Amino acid sequence: MVINNDTITITARDVTGQRRTSCEIPRNASVNELIDRVGDRMNLLGEDADGRPIAWYARHEREGRSLHRSERVGDALAENDEIRLQPEISAGARGF
Amino acid sequence: MNTHDYRLRILKEGRVPVGEPVTLSLRGPLQRGVEALHWRSFINGNGALGESIRLSPRWSERGAPLVDAVAVEAGASALALPAKTLFARAARIETARLVDAGVLESGAGYGFVVTADASADFQTIPVFHLHDYPVTDADQPVGGTEADSAFADSRDHAVFIDPLVVDDALRLADEAGDSETGGVLFGILQRDPAGKVFLRVTHLCPAVGGKGERSSFTFTPQTWSIAQDVLSARAAEEMMVGSFHTHPDFCKNCEPERQKVCSMRQPFFSDEDVSLHESVFPAAYSVGLLASHDGGGYATSLWGWRDGFISRRSYLTNL
């Protein structure tokens, strides 16, 4: 088996765990890039009802903390780690 | 497989096109359609849909290239998603952009049409399959009293809400005063001895770390993390099956005559509410519980996916 030291394999889930994917991410990618790539792959909604971007965050399941967007994947995550993507999103009748 | 490019055109008075055509993304529609078909196949006891999924336009009575609906087909299953509903959000966003750009006047009524042209290249759109539905066996059919029976629809699966969940929803709404509040619903999917699949909502986990305002409630990453921790601690084989939020008395400061006719006094699922469900609870069995104030007090209503769109629906509980 060939091991690629430039990438890391992680598993990502959505909030409910219904959407799940595994993928290889470059170690030197930022968490922000990780969220973009995995979110696109999982078809996560990028905009809210008004067309404004939805902010997604990555929770490191093993450490139980939210990853900072500027962290490097290779520094923050280990091989086969799991992350959970969580949005900051509003319900209600905004504009009322 | 998608065979067409879809475009949106905003119309002003007299059905006059305004602005430039906007290319529409089909990823959302495809995801909604596939999930609806997948769920329909599951609850009817049929097999998996397979990978051969096709999107095609259903032409308007006025003829091509005007589109009335986008058809999602998988094997022998098909679902037509009405363009007027499917692309309403895109139209609203484009209209707002044209108003900001000074092309349209604010406050006037505008319409839109969707057109489709054959693609030069057939496109393969990535479909993200949700995981198989985790269902356990129930030893008896689901019971209870039907609430909101006026909103029953034969396409809906049965949903039983534990009466404690309804009580908690009403209590949390009262405690929040003039602000909105929210929570996460836990539950399980079950199949009764006759093979009928239903959802049992077993717990309302109050949202921690959310931001409640007069007309919105924001679910933050902390909200989801704590709900996940509570779910794990309960070790009850539950999963997150939906959201809860409140609409306080929006009309309390309005004139009494206006209150009588104001639509804000009726239960409704706003665009933001639909967007939340599309983002976080896309699974077809998911539901949204709403506690809304009608001037006299709070009452609950339930909303869920029906053929790819969020609709008000009936539910079962023990009164």
Side-chain angles (χ1 to χ4, degrees):
Chain A
M1 189 173 84
V2 178
I3 297 175
N4 186 349
N5 288 323
D6 296 333
T7 63
I8 194 168
T9 302
I10 59 112
T11 297
R13 300 170 197 268
D14 68 357
V15 167
T16 64
Q18 267 281 278
R19 285 180 285 204
R20 188 171 60 202
T21 188
S22 290
C23 56
E24 281 190 11
I25 301 288
R27 287 179 180 274
N28 64 0
S30 68
V31 168
N32 201 39
E33 292 165 330
L34 164 69
I35 292 171
D36 282 351
R37 184 179 298 195
V38 175
D40 186 60
R41 187 164 172 165
M42 293 169 75
N43 235 350
L44 299 180
L45 207 61
E47 295 179 341
D48 69 9
D50 295 327
R52 289 177 293 213
I54 295 174
W56 289 88
Y57 297 84
R59 170 172 142 130
H60 190 317
E61 293 287 73
R62 183 168 49 82
E63 295 184 357
R65 70 178 180 97
S66 192
L67 296 172
H68 294 290
R69 291 177 176 277
S70 59
E71 284 185 86
R72 292 283 147 201
V73 166
D75 297 335
L77 296 167
E79 185 73 12
N80 297 322
D81 265 351
E82 296 188 2
I83 62 169
R84 193 175 290 266
L85 293 185
Q86 304 166 320
E88 178 161 315
I89 189 166
S90 297
R94 194 166 43 213
F96 165 69
Chain B
M1 185 72 77
N2 176 40
T3 56
H4 287 72
D5 295 324
Y6 294 79
R7 293 185 180 82
L8 172 107
R9 199 75 194 266
I10 302 296
L11 305 177
K12 60 181 183 180
E13 194 174 357
R15 298 186 66 80
V16 178
V18 59
E20 296 297 317
V22 177
T23 300
L24 293 163
S25 167
L26 291 178
R27 289 186 68 170
L30 184 59
Q31 195 75 52
R32 284 173 174 222
V34 169
E35 171 62 6
L37 290 177
H38 189 197
W39 176 249
R40 188 191 288 176
S41 176
F42 175 74
I43 61 175
N44 290 332
N46 299 327
L49 289 179
E51 296 297 320
S52 177
I53 296 163
R54 184 182 170 88
L55 275 184
S56 57
R58 289 283 179 270
W59 302 117
S60 157
E61 288 180 353
R62 286 174 285 161
L66 293 173
V67 174
D68 257 359
V70 178
V72 183
E73 297 166 83
S77 300
L79 181 66
L81 303 168
K84 284 291 181 196
T85 314
L86 196 57
F87 299 117
R89 180 166 62 193
R92 200 165 44 251
I93 291 170
E94 177 60 7
T95 301
R97 194 190 67 75
L98 292 172
V99 169
D100 286 346
V103 177
L104 291 177
E105 288 178 28
S106 178
Y110 299 105
F112 71 92
V113 289
V114 174
T115 61
D117 301 297
S119 286
D121 301 309
F122 283 7
Q123 309 154 36
T124 301
I125 303 176
V127 177
F128 197 87
H129 289 284
L130 297 180
H131 271 248
D132 289 339
Y133 305 110
V135 62
T136 58
D137 289 330
D139 50 15
Q140 56 186 6
V142 64
T145 307
E146 188 172 43
D148 267 355
S149 57
F151 298 94
D153 189 290
S154 60
R155 291 168 290 181
D156 293 344
H157 57 288
V159 176
F160 177 84
I161 303 182
D162 189 299
L164 288 176
V165 170
V166 176
D167 288 348
D168 283 347
L170 297 173
R171 179 180 53 79
L172 289 168
D174 272 329
E175 288 174 358
D178 288 340
S179 295
E180 293 200 10
T181 190
V184 181
L185 301 176
F186 298 169
I188 51 176
L189 272 180
Q190 292 196 293
R191 192 191 299 273
D192 74 13
K196 191 174 170 188
V197 176
F198 63 95
L199 176 69
R200 186 181 291 277
V201 179
T202 50
H203 183 67
L204 195 175
C205 178
V208 178
K211 301 172 195 165
E213 297 180 18
R214 176 156 164 67
S215 60
S216 72
F217 184 81
T218 302
F219 292 78
T220 65
Q222 185 189 8
T223 309
W224 304 121
S225 291
I226 290 176
Q228 180 63 42
D229 292 344
V230 172
L231 186 76
S232 301
R234 285 170 61 88
E237 297 186 354
E238 297 162 311
M239 53 186 180
M240 295 188 199
V241 297
S243 74
F244 159 69
H245 79 287
T246 62
H247 288 171
D249 188 2
F250 295 128
C251 303
K252 65 188 283 187
N253 297 323
C254 298
E255 295 294 324
E257 288 307 309
R258 194 170 168 196
Q259 289 181 11
K260 289 178 188 169
V261 295
C262 184
S263 59
M264 303 293 275
R265 274 272 165 94
Q266 303 297 318
F268 65 94
F269 232 52
S270 69
D271 293 335
E272 285 82 6
D273 302 337
V274 172
S275 185
L276 185 149
H277 269 258
E278 204 174 349
S279 303
V280 185
F281 300 106
Y285 57 76
S286 305
V287 291
L289 181 64
L290 174 68
S292 50
H293 203 290
D294 64 2
Y298 279 100
T300 53
S301 56
L302 193 69
W303 307 73
W305 292 108
R306 182 182 297 149
D307 283 352
F309 297 99
I310 292 283
S311 304
R312 189 171 175 182
R313 52 160 302 150
S314 64
Y315 61 96
L316 299 165
T317 191
N318 290 330
L319 298 176

